[in-house]
Amino acid sequence: MAMQDDGAVDVRPDPEPGRADPAHRGRYRAAGVCLGLLGLALAGWTVRGIAQGGGGLWDFVEELFHPALPGAVTVLGPYEWAFAVAFLGVAGQALAGRRAARAAALLLGWVLLAAALREAVGLCDEAYRARYVTAPEWGWLLATRCLGLVTALVVLGALLPTGDGRRGAYDGPDTPPGAWRRRSSRICGVLFLVMGVVQLAWTVQGPLLGSGHPGQFLRAVVDASATGTVGLAAPPEFTAAGAALVLLVLGALAWCGRCDVRSALLAYGAVQLYLTVRSVVQLAVTDYFNRSLETPQGVLWLATTAYGLAAMTSVVVLSSGRPGGPYGARGESLRAAAAER
């Protein structure tokens, strides 16, 4: 709020900083409900796996960070655990009508849509359908897949029309001088772009070309029947290619500053940070640190892992800050106008 009297400008805090437009609150709530239901469904699968796996809660906690341990939850993997937390966190923000939840929710929607389309391609194969219907509790597996597709469609359909391209531009009317978008966004963009190039290079050098069957790898990225697995856990081909694509796209958006991707950077940076920590634990328990120094490839792997740990930590820290200061973006711009007077 701004009041002007004889050249003086009174800047007061926005009563609802960061809130979505009242006309869009219903769209945010619909997206939040769907994301929350999917997150709870994945949490239910996790609890079921712990109960039927014979291990206790502490065994599962160890498995979260210790890849060498036998899996207590066979249906899900570390990617699903990380994204389940992201679903629930973004759902809470969306239900609260926070505008910052939009970018993260759209990111999750696109990821869910890609996974659903991959599964749909796999179901076109008769042998894959036969394995599907003979899997234990295949009906619940299919219901969870359908819930993911519905969530993707609802999130994208509800939140895509609510965007305002001017909000993300550096020179927009509500952009304060020295705001998060000017410096931290570019820093996060560079970190994501470099990490995306590293992920792409390791993917090309490793499973894509190292196996000698690049066509089989590419098919596994888009066709669920190529791997033969029916569970909810994503295969390494899909996660490796998806991680490189998301890192490069989000990095480019953050560098260009054409839209507010702060919450998407925070959500995916946190997911990548967890996976990187998990990799570091694996390197520690297998004594790979010492043996990796014997080969150039091992040294390069350690260097890129260390970079990933530092880069994702920096992204999480930078994107967790408030972009507009205590008065929000509009309040900061009005304060700057008052200073110029």
Side-chain angles (χ1 to χ4, degrees), residues 12 58 67 117 157 161 287:
R12 300 180 185 179
W58 180 248
L117 292 177
D287 196 28

Side-chain angles (χ1 to χ4, degrees), residues 182-200:
R182 286 189 181 275
R183 295 188 298 268
S184 299
S185 178
R186 287 184 176 272
I187 294 173
C188 292
V190 171
L191 294 175
F192 257 54
L193 285 173
V194 174
M195 190 65 189
V197 171
V198 169
Q199 177 69 38
L200 182 62

Side-chain angles (χ1 to χ4, degrees), residues 34-250:
C34 290
L35 288 172
L37 288 176
L38 184 58
L40 291 175
L42 294 180
W45 279 107
T46 303
V47 173
R48 172 189 171 277
I50 295 174
Q52 295 186 351
L57 180 60
W58 180 248
D59 294 329
F60 171 68
V61 173
E62 287 186 324
E63 185 185 353
L64 284 175
F65 298 96
H66 197 325
L69 290 178
V73 184
T74 56
V75 179
L76 303 181
Y79 287 87
E80 288 70 32
W81 299 330
F83 274 103
V85 176
F87 291 147
L88 294 175
V90 176
Q93 291 289 312
L95 289 173
R98 306 297 300 183
R99 193 170 61 232
R102 178 179 180 270
L106 287 176
L107 168 66
L108 298 177
W110 287 116
V111 172
L112 288 172
L113 183 61
L117 292 177
R118 178 182 180 273
E119 191 68 19
V121 173
L123 289 174
C124 295
D125 183 76
E126 183 178 357
Y128 183 72
R129 291 198 304 270
R131 288 194 301 269
Y132 214 103
V133 297
T134 57
E137 299 183 348
W138 69 271
W140 289 107
L141 289 173
L142 184 60
T144 305
R145 294 286 190 185
C146 292
L147 179 59
L149 176 60
V150 171
T151 300
L153 296 177
V154 170
V155 169
L156 296 177
L159 297 184
L160 277 176
T162 65
D164 185 357
R166 293 175 301 174
R167 281 182 186 147
Y170 285 141
D171 299 327
D174 290 338
T175 304
W180 180 91
R181 295 183 182 91
R182 286 189 181 275
R183 295 188 298 268
S184 299
S185 178
R186 287 184 176 272
I187 294 173
C188 292
V190 171
L191 294 175
F192 257 54
L193 285 173
V194 174
M195 190 65 189
V197 171
V198 169
Q199 177 69 38
L200 182 62
W202 280 115
T203 302
V204 171
Q205 186 272 339
L208 182 59
L209 298 180
S211 62
H213 303 283
Q216 184 177 356
F217 173 86
L218 294 175
R219 183 186 169 214
V221 173
V222 298
D223 186 356
S225 65
T227 57
T229 57
V230 181
L232 297 174
E237 295 87 354
F238 179 76
T239 55
L245 179 62
V246 172
L247 288 168
L248 291 174
V249 171
L250 282 182

Side-chain angles (χ1 to χ4, degrees), residues 6 11 19 103 150 165 223 236 282 308:
D6 296 333
V11 179
R19 295 283 182 176
V150 171
D223 186 356
Q282 183 178 15

